[in-house]
Amino acid sequence: MLEGVFNIPPRTATDAYLARMGGRRRLDIVFDIDLGELVEGHHVVARGLELADAAAALHYEFVPGIRQHEEDTKGRFFWFWMMFAEDDLGTSYDDYNTGAFDPDGKAATHGTRNLGGPVPRSARRLRLSFTPPEMWTPLGPWCRELDIALPGGQVTESWTGPRQDAG
């Protein structure tokens, strides 16, 4: 169990994905932050950043995992939460919100969300902003922003609604 969050599994789905990649991909900055129920029936848990030279990505998990049959009952793209990146240098990151996730997870489903370009090595702060899908309003508090100090990775969270950590 991760400190400060309720019923969030360990990083098993992300670790399994990275193992399947055989070392070609890795988390350069690791954190485990429950962003709240950004998607109906699923928390989004930010697991860390991959800061590849070609393009950076946020690794995350849906908890519980997304099931293929959910699109039939909740609608197409019910899972499509949005993320926007900015840094202290004013780097232009595209906002296409591309990425991928395992379409049939169990306790958790691993996914990646591209930041929209590489993060310059000289950047000292990276801010990731989140919004839920258009047709969903979270019933409880959710994280609207992560402010990440670079290169160390210390993270500051900004929430919408009062955060109620399990203790």
Side-chain angles (χ1 to χ4, degrees):
M1 176 93 72
L2 301 172
E3 190 171 323
V5 292
F6 182 70
N7 291 330
I8 300 301
R11 200 178 314 116
T12 307
T14 298
D15 290 344
Y17 168 80
L18 294 171
R20 285 193 308 273
M21 294 295 103
R24 292 186 313 270
R25 298 189 75 174
R26 69 167 201 246
L27 296 179
D28 297 297
I29 297 176
V30 177
F31 43 78
D32 295 300
I33 298 173
D34 178 7
L35 303 179
E37 191 177 340
L38 281 183
V39 173
E40 182 181 0
H42 304 272
H43 281 240
V44 174
V45 179
R47 297 301 193 173
L49 289 174
E50 177 180 6
L51 299 174
D53 288 335
L58 173 73
H59 287 255
Y60 69 92
E61 294 177 6
F62 285 118
V63 179
I66 299 283
R67 310 288 182 172
Q68 285 185 324
H69 74 274
E70 288 184 280
E71 284 204 50
D72 295 335
T73 58
K74 294 180 180 176
R76 195 167 173 212
F77 300 118
F78 78 96
W79 45 263
F80 195 61
W81 53 279
M82 304 294 281
M83 180 184 80
F84 304 96
E86 64 180 314
D87 64 34
D88 59 321
L89 301 176
T91 304
S92 178
Y93 294 96
D94 75 41
D95 58 359
Y96 301 135
N97 276 284
T98 60
F101 67 91
D102 179 359
D104 201 20
K106 298 194 181 355
T109 299
H110 171 263
T112 59
R113 185 61 63 87
N114 299 323
L115 269 61
V119 177
R121 294 183 195 278
S122 56
R124 295 291 161 242
R125 183 191 50 77
L126 178 69
R127 179 174 292 141
L128 301 179
S129 301
F130 310 101
T131 57
E134 269 185 37
M135 305 305 276
W136 169 248
T137 300
L139 302 176
W142 54 279
C143 184
R144 62 181 163 77
E145 205 169 78
L146 295 179
D147 196 356
I148 304 158
L150 300 173
Q154 182 177 347
V155 180
T156 304
E157 307 165 34
S158 298
W159 286 76
T160 296
R163 183 170 182 193
Q164 311 231 334
D165 291 337

